[in-house]
């Protein structure tokens, strides 16, 4: 033992673990610090008063390229001072203290409360090319987010890897899945912070897995490059993160409607049968999606004309019926001499290559394929041109699949080379960003050729993917635990800046039971992208294939979604402005309530700011719901639930548990069968009595063009102020004329209110009942007739106006 201790200095000097060591030179700028240490170089930059970027590498820090980050550093009031031992950096929100001997960093609030600090003795270190930063694990610290990750809402005690993978029929504990978003949020002692590791190599995160000392994040190559974000409110952390990585554009309105998919709908006559059956059975719908069987031998940019003799006519007819067509695309271009796409790609030199210059060839659906290098501008430009094929075919949406990259064998060699926008690199660095860049190429090409907002869907992606595409959670299973895991996956994606998300309703693999399908399609009405999808050789999974009762329930919930379209579209608009997701973990608004992290309640979520949805397994007869702070109304009956309590409720197969937060403002419209059809000219605004002032930004535009970017929109702030007994609709903004000529106020919980004044006019409120769901069809002649649940409400209709509308009660 004595010999070992005497040899410790020599052993440490020979250690395969390298740390930055002591700072040797320091250069202080207006809002940044550059330094050289014993074994590393570093730069710390203030991006805003709430965002600090930390970079460390074993070689001098160079360049600033990122596929994820589009936000630039803002001019920020920053004070930087130093002593022999420390450097202190202070903004209006954060104080960072950098230790010089050896290097480490800690972040505090401006009043000195510790937010996050490096673990002493570990800090940041390299093992070979891998680099990892270790953070001290705080007492009762919890971790959420990290994108598309299985497991519990609270990541504490778990570890995760980011390496985009094709995982058909994955388990509910499997990791990694299809996409990489290396951003998480830490919560402890009434503070919360975010850390975004911007590195496209394989990354690994440890939230106290197999240790009780640290949390950590690291990459298998490249530099340590992370952004530290602090705000008092978790929602603001997401807003700052999406300032860095960008926010989604307004989607086409039709993409928020119900989408009928399967692997695969063919031939053309079958596609038209599905569309016409949806209309005949009065199931509102906006989209039909075609899987790989529309192609000629699965080759990209082709139609199989024996199955689809006239795709232009088909898509035109679908459009007249109120449907838009989305088609699948994969990145692989079949190696086939004379094939137009293959020969064009060779000619333009757009394929990824081995180090010796030979194009990489991998096997997928068409056979042996080459793959477009979407990390090069040349490759993206080539893809833009190919997308014209879909525009000429009348297609409105592009579904990007297999873009992890997936090939049979799932083992692309490390020595495949990518352009990486001029920084030539290997598959190791380019892999995780490839899917995002394919989605980007599809979005840019479609925006150019479709001449309207395109819908883009992707299976794979990287941080910032929300700028180009929606994402869905891949090849899930028709099982209850997959349905609930899907809820957590979508909530985690929402915490990670991605609003437009989906899972396959009913499950992709296997066949759902009737109760499971019923529960899942109800849930789909409260998911951002409502996609019913199932696999090849499975049973048909359209709503009418499960019997009349299920058809009736499905029709009810799909119809409710269409009536909620003004609320949903406005909520998507909010996401374009502040990055907050449509589907929201309760952790966003109730961060420091410990119960929201309990496994019993982790599947509950908010849909926008008004609704709370409580999903349960289809086999359960009873479930336990937790009601966070506030007043909560049962959606169907307006019965009020006490806050900060849990309640055991009876579960019924025809009703999904949904609640409405007190003070909520919910605009709704009349039922339509497609967003291509205008609703009636009365906008219903539901207002729920509560004890807090609340505002809602109502938003309209034409739903399809880019003219909203030039001011062609209709927007107004609606405010409910219970203390002042006032409801205000601010003056409308924008040049777009609202479709709605009248406004019908529907008041919930205003039992003592009989009149409302509009300027000098006093208006009497009418008593009424409102049912969010239609009465179930009485299809069983031996069964008992059911009655619709309804809410007792008070109503008044007023004329809409561009001017401010001030209502007092």
């Amino acid at each position: 033992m004595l010999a070992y201790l005497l040899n410790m200095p020599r052993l440490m000097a020979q250690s395969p673990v390298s740390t930055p060591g002591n700072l040797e030179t320091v250069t202080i700028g207006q809002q940044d610090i550059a330094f050289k240490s014993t074994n590393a170089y570093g730069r710390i930059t203030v991006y805003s008063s709430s965002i600090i970027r930390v970079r460390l590498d074993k070689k001098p820090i160079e360049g600033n390229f990122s596929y994820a980050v589009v936000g630039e550093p803002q001019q920020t009031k920053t004070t930087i001072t130093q002593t022999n031992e420390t450097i202190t950096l202070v903004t209006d929100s954060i104080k960072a203290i950098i230790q010089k001997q050896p290097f480490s960093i800690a972040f505090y609030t401006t009043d000195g409360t510790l937010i996050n600090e490096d673990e002493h003795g570990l800090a940041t270190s390299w093992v070979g090319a891998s680099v990892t930063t270790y953070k001290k694990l705080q007492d009762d610290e919890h971790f959420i987010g990290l994108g598309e990750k299985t497991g519990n809402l609270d990541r504490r005690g778990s570890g995760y890897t980011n390496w985009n993978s094709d995982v058909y029929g994955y388990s509910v504990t499997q990791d990694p899945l299809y996409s990489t978003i290396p951003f998480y949020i830490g919560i402890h002692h009434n503070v919360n912070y975010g850390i975004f590791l911007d590195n496209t190599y394989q990354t690994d995160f440890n939230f106290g897995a197999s240790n009780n000392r640290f949390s950590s994040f690291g990459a298998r190559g490249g530099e340590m490059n992370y952004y530290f974000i602090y705000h008092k409110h978790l929602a603001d952390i997401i807003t700052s993160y999406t300032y860095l990585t960008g926010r989604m554009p307004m989607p086409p309105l039709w993409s928020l409607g119900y989408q009928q998919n399967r692997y695969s709908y063919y031939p053309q006559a079958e596609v038209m049968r599905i569309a016409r059956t949806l209309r005949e059975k009065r199931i509102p719908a906006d989209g039909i999606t075609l899987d790989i069987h529309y192609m000629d031998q699965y080759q990209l940019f082709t139609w199989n004309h024996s199955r689809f003799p006239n795709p232009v006519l088909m898509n035109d007819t679908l459009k007249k019926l109120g449907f838009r067509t989305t088609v699948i695309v994969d990145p692989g271009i079949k190696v086939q001499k004379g094939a137009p796409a293959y020969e064009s790609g060779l000619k333009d030199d757009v394929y990824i290559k081995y180090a010796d210059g030979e194009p990489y060839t991998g096997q997928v659906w068409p056979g042996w394929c080459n793959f477009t290098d979407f990390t090069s501008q040349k490759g993206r430009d080539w893809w833009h041109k190919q997308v014209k094929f879909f525009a000429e075919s009348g297609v409105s949406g592009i579904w990007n699949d297999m873009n992890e990259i997936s090939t049979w064998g799932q083992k692309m060699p490390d020595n495949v080379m990518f352009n990486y926008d001029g920084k030539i690199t290997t598959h190791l660095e380019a892999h995780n960003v490839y899917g995002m860049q394919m989605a980007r190429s599809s979005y840019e090409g479609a925006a150019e050729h479709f001449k309207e907002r395109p819908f883009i869907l992707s299976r794979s992606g990287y941080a910032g993917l929300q700028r180009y595409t929606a994402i869905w959670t891949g090849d899930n299973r028709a099982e209850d635990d997959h349905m609930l895991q899907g809820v957590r996956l979508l909530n985690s994606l929402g915490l990670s800046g991605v609003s437009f998300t989906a899972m396959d309703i009913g499950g992709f693999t296997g066949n759902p039971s009737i109760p499971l399908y019923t529960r899942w399609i109800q849930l789909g009405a409260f998911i951002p992208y409502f996609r019913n999808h199932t696999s090849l050789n499975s049973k048909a999974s359209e709503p009418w294939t499960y019997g009349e009762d299920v058809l009736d329930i499905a029709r009810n919930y799909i119809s409710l979604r269409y009536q909620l379209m003004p609320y949903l579209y406005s909520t998507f608009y909010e996401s374009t402005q502040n990055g907050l997701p449509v589907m929201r973990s309760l952790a966003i608004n109730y961060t420091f309530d410990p119960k929201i992290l309990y496994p019993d309640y982790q599947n509950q979520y908010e849909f926008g700011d008004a609704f709370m949805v409580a999903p349960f397994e289809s086999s359960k007869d009873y479930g336990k719901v937790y009601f966070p702070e506030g007043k909560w109304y049962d959606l169907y009956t307006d019965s009020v639930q006490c806050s900060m309590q849990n309640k055991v409720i009876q579960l019924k197969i025809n009703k999904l548990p949904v609640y409405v937060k007190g003070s909520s403002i919910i605009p709704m419209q009349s039922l339509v069968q497609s967003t291509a059809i205008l609703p009636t000219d009365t906008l219903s605004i539901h207002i729920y009595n509560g004890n807090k002032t609340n505002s809602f930004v109502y938003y309209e535009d034409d739903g399809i063009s880019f003219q909203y970017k030039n001011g062609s929109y209709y927007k107004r702030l609606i405010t409910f102020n219970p203390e002042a007994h006032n409801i205000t609709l601010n003056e409308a903004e924008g040049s777009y004329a609202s479709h709605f000529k009248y406004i019908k106020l529907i008041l919930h919980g205003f039992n003592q209110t009989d009149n409302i004044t509009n300027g000098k006019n006093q208006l009497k409120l009418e008593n009424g009942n409102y049912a969010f769901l239609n009465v179930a069809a009485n299809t069983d002649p031996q069964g008992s007739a059911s009655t619709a649940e309804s809410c007792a409400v008070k109503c008044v209709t007023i004329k809409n106006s561009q001017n401010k509308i001030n209502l007092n009660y």
Side-chain angles (χ1 to χ4, degrees):
M1 173 61 86
L2 179 60
Y4 177 81
L5 292 173
L6 291 173
N7 278 325
M8 275 292 289
R10 183 174 62 83
L11 291 170
M12 291 179 67
Q14 297 172 350
S15 172
V17 178
S18 171
T19 64
N22 298 335
L23 269 60
E24 296 176 344
T25 62
V26 176
T27 303
I28 295 176
Q30 189 173 0
Q31 55 187 69
D32 71 325
I33 302 163
F35 61 85
K36 181 187 180 305
S37 64
T38 310
N39 301 312
Y41 297 83
R43 183 175 294 275
I44 298 170
T45 305
V46 174
Y47 262 62
S48 75
S49 61
S50 300
I51 305 173
I52 295 177
R53 182 184 186 187
V54 179
R55 302 177 72 185
L56 293 166
D57 205 346
K58 290 192 285 187
K59 62 182 187 296
I61 302 289
E62 294 179 351
N64 203 34
F65 177 75
S66 171
Y67 283 112
V69 174
V70 292
E72 296 289 338
Q74 300 172 337
Q75 187 171 343
T76 305
K77 179 185 175 184
T78 307
T79 302
I80 304 174
T81 58
Q82 67 173 321
T83 66
N84 291 335
E85 292 79 29
T86 63
I87 306 169
T88 302
L89 181 156
V90 181
T91 73
D92 290 341
S93 299
I94 306 175
K95 178 167 69 175
I97 298 179
I98 299 104
Q99 299 293 332
K100 292 183 174 181
Q101 298 180 352
F103 169 81
S104 69
I105 187 166
F107 299 96
Y108 299 84
T109 64
T110 53
D111 64 5
T113 300
L114 177 66
I115 308 169
N116 176 270
E117 64 177 329
D118 287 353
E119 169 62 14
H120 299 297
L122 299 180
T124 297
S125 63
W126 289 265
V127 177
S130 297
V131 59
T132 303
T133 291
Y134 298 87
K135 297 292 186 178
K136 181 177 177 60
L137 193 59
Q138 303 295 325
D139 294 336
D140 200 33
E141 187 165 17
H142 304 277
F143 305 92
I144 59 177
L146 205 65
E148 188 185 45
K149 292 298 177 186
T150 58
N152 290 324
L153 168 63
D154 184 1
R155 309 293 189 194
R156 175 81 181 238
S158 298
Y160 297 90
T161 293
N162 286 318
W163 183 255
N164 296 349
S165 302
D166 179 354
V167 282
Y168 174 82
Y170 55 90
S171 75
V172 294
T173 58
Q174 193 161 339
D175 183 69
L177 298 185
Y178 302 93
S179 63
T180 289
I181 306 179
F183 168 67
Y184 72 90
I185 295 169
I187 304 165
H188 68 89
H189 301 102
N190 288 320
V191 296
N192 44 213
Y193 64 89
I195 288 179
F196 168 44
L197 173 61
D198 187 13
N199 184 311
T200 62
Y201 282 91
Q202 177 181 315
T203 52
D204 297 279
F205 287 75
N206 183 318
F207 299 117
S210 304
N211 87 94
N212 62 357
R213 181 180 177 185
F214 62 80
S215 62
S216 67
F217 48 90
R220 298 298 177 93
E223 68 177 46
M224 175 52 63
N225 174 29
Y226 73 91
Y227 295 80
F228 182 85
I229 305 171
Y230 168 72
H231 286 279
K232 292 180 180 179
H233 302 291
L234 193 150
D236 295 329
I237 293 173
I238 297 173
T239 295
S240 279
Y241 168 73
T242 55
Y243 166 76
L244 287 173
T245 60
R247 297 175 185 138
M248 66 174 295
M250 282 303 295
L253 181 61
W254 66 264
S255 67
L256 307 191
Y258 175 68
Q259 313 290 315
Q260 189 64 59
N261 305 6
R262 83 161 288 133
Y263 171 35
S264 283
Y265 284 133
Y266 69 92
Q268 185 170 322
E270 172 68 359
V271 175
M272 297 310 303
R273 182 188 73 82
I274 293 293
R276 291 194 171 102
T277 305
L278 285 162
R279 291 290 175 254
E280 288 165 5
K281 294 188 179 294
R282 305 295 291 168
I283 302 169
D286 270 81
I288 300 282
T289 301
L290 304 182
D291 214 307
I292 58 175
H293 292 88
Y294 79 88
M295 303 180 204
D296 182 14
Q297 299 181 335
Y298 312 126
Q299 294 184 69
L300 279 181
F301 313 117
T302 65
W303 286 93
N304 182 320
H305 287 290
S306 65
R307 292 173 177 166
F308 293 89
N310 195 334
V312 174
L313 176 63
M314 177 189 72
N315 290 326
D316 183 59
T317 305
L318 286 170
K319 193 176 290 188
K320 289 175 181 175
L321 289 170
F323 291 96
R324 295 297 188 112
T325 307
T326 298
V327 297
I328 197 169
V329 296
D330 297 338
I333 305 293
K334 181 177 174 61
V335 176
Q336 181 169 316
K337 289 188 179 299
Y342 171 69
E343 294 291 354
S344 173
L346 275 182
K347 176 176 174 292
D348 289 0
D349 188 27
V350 299
Y351 300 133
I352 56 177
K353 300 180 179 69
Y354 287 104
D356 65 1
E358 182 79 12
Y360 166 70
T361 307
Q363 199 171 14
V364 242
W365 301 114
W368 292 101
C369 294
N370 292 155
F371 296 84
T372 307
D373 187 352
F374 296 109
T375 72
S376 74
Q377 188 61 55
K378 182 167 62 174
R380 293 192 294 270
D381 288 344
W382 180 83
W383 190 264
H384 298 166
K385 289 186 289 186
Q386 308 312 307
V387 168
K388 186 178 181 182
F389 170 83
F390 297 119
E392 292 172 343
S393 301
V395 166
S396 300
I398 299 176
W399 166 21
N400 300 263
D401 196 23
M402 305 289 286
N403 54 344
E404 290 76 26
I405 303 171
S406 174
T407 57
W408 303 158
Q410 308 300 335
K411 202 68 178 174
M412 180 180 285
D414 294 346
N415 63 348
V416 175
M417 308 301 290
F418 294 74
N419 181 267
Y420 212 82
D421 278 272
K423 175 196 159 187
I424 306 300
T425 193
T426 69
H427 177 229
L428 294 175
E429 187 173 17
H431 175 90
N432 279 341
V433 82
Y434 184 85
M436 173 202 189
Q437 292 305 294
M438 179 184 179
R440 171 189 177 181
S441 302
S442 294
Y443 177 82
E444 292 171 346
E448 176 185 350
H449 295 296
F450 290 5
K451 307 301 182 185
E452 63 183 30
R453 294 179 221 172
F455 169 70
I456 306 297
L457 181 65
S458 181
R459 191 169 74 178
S460 184
Y462 181 70
L465 67 92
Q466 65 270 10
R467 304 195 301 269
Y468 310 113
T469 185
I471 192 169
W472 98 105
T473 57
D475 299 338
N476 61 354
R477 302 181 191 176
E479 299 167 5
D480 275 289
D481 57 355
H482 257 267
M483 176 179 69
L484 296 181
Q485 178 66 80
V487 167
R488 296 197 296 280
L489 288 172
L490 302 191
N491 284 340
S492 184
L493 283 162
L495 287 164
S496 308
V498 184
S499 292
F500 209 178
T501 56
M503 59 175 157
D504 287 348
I505 300 301
F508 181 69
T509 72
N511 296 295
S513 66
I514 289 175
L516 175 57
Y517 180 85
T518 305
R519 184 64 79 214
W520 216 329
I521 204 157
Q522 292 169 336
L523 195 58
F526 296 91
I527 284 175
Y529 181 60
F530 193 175
R531 162 190 165 100
N532 182 341
H533 190 44
T534 192
S535 181
L536 189 70
N537 297 322
S538 65
K539 294 179 181 177
S541 204
E542 296 79 31
W544 55 84
T545 63
Y546 291 85
E548 290 297 324
D549 290 340
V550 176
L551 169 61
D552 197 55
I553 294 167
R555 184 191 294 116
N556 257 341
Y557 276 89
I558 296 170
S559 296
L560 175 59
R561 181 183 178 95
Y562 275 74
Q563 290 170 283
L564 285 169
M565 201 59 71
Y567 171 82
L568 181 57
Y569 197 60
S570 297
T571 302
F572 267 92
Y573 171 75
E574 180 190 11
S575 190
T576 70
Q577 301 303 295
N578 61 19
L580 290 183
V582 173
M583 190 168 169
R584 302 175 181 179
S585 164
L586 296 186
I588 293 177
N589 286 327
Y590 307 97
T591 311
F592 304 117
D593 183 340
K595 286 192 176 181
I596 60 101
L597 297 176
Y598 288 7
D600 281 352
Y601 311 121
Q602 65 180 349
N603 299 317
Q604 293 178 212
Y605 67 93
E606 290 185 286
F607 189 63
D609 196 48
F611 297 101
M612 182 176 73
V613 181
F616 291 96
E617 295 93 333
S618 62
S619 58
K620 284 196 172 181
D621 296 321
Y622 293 89
K624 191 161 59 173
V625 177
Y626 176 65
F627 297 95
E629 181 184 4
K631 187 176 185 179
W632 295 94
Y633 293 77
D634 183 295
L635 173 66
Y636 311 102
T637 66
D638 269 0
S639 62
V640 176
Q641 313 300 321
C642 296
S643 71
M644 307 291 286
Q645 293 185 17
N646 57 270
K647 180 181 180 181
V648 175
I649 62 169
Q650 185 178 4
L651 300 172
K652 298 180 179 179
I653 197 60
N654 65 339
K655 189 171 74 171
L656 176 72
V658 181
Y659 302 89
V660 181
K661 191 188 305 182
S663 300
S664 288
I665 301 165
I666 304 173
M668 295 181 66
Q669 67 181 26
S670 63
L671 177 61
V672 293
Q673 293 300 301
S674 163
T675 62
I677 302 168
L678 286 175
T680 64
D681 61 1
T682 300
L683 177 70
S684 298
I685 300 179
H686 293 254
I687 297 181
Y688 287 77
N689 207 353
N691 54 18
K692 291 185 177 180
T693 297
N694 184 41
S695 294
F696 182 87
V697 176
Y698 173 75
Y699 180 85
E700 274 184 69
D701 60 27
D702 64 20
I704 195 64
S705 78
F706 292 101
Q707 288 303 309
Y708 72 94
K709 295 183 177 182
N710 301 320
S712 182
Y713 56 79
Y714 176 92
K715 181 174 70 171
R716 71 192 314 171
L717 183 69
I718 306 171
T719 301
F720 166 61
N721 185 336
E723 188 174 337
H725 298 276
N726 176 258
I727 300 164
T728 304
L729 288 77
N730 279 10
E731 183 178 351
E733 301 174 38
S735 61
Y736 186 78
S738 174
H739 163 71
F740 298 104
K741 304 296 187 289
Y742 299 93
I743 293 171
K744 183 176 183 179
L745 286 180
I746 302 177
L747 305 180
H748 299 252
F750 289 79
N751 301 332
Q752 307 303 314
T753 305
D754 295 317
N755 300 289
I756 198 163
T757 59
N758 179 10
K760 296 179 180 180
N761 300 318
Q762 186 174 75
L763 306 172
K764 184 173 177 57
L765 295 172
E766 296 180 7
N767 293 314
N769 289 286
Y770 189 90
F772 283 93
L773 299 179
N774 290 327
V775 63
N778 187 22
T779 58
D780 183 356
Q782 295 182 318
S784 57
S786 57
T787 57
E789 292 182 307
S790 63
C791 310
V793 297
K794 300 203 172 185
C795 310
V796 66
T797 301
I798 61 174
K799 192 171 182 180
N800 197 4
S801 166
Q802 291 282 109
N803 300 323
K804 183 176 181 178
I805 300 172
N806 194 44
L807 305 168
N808 294 293
Y809 60 91

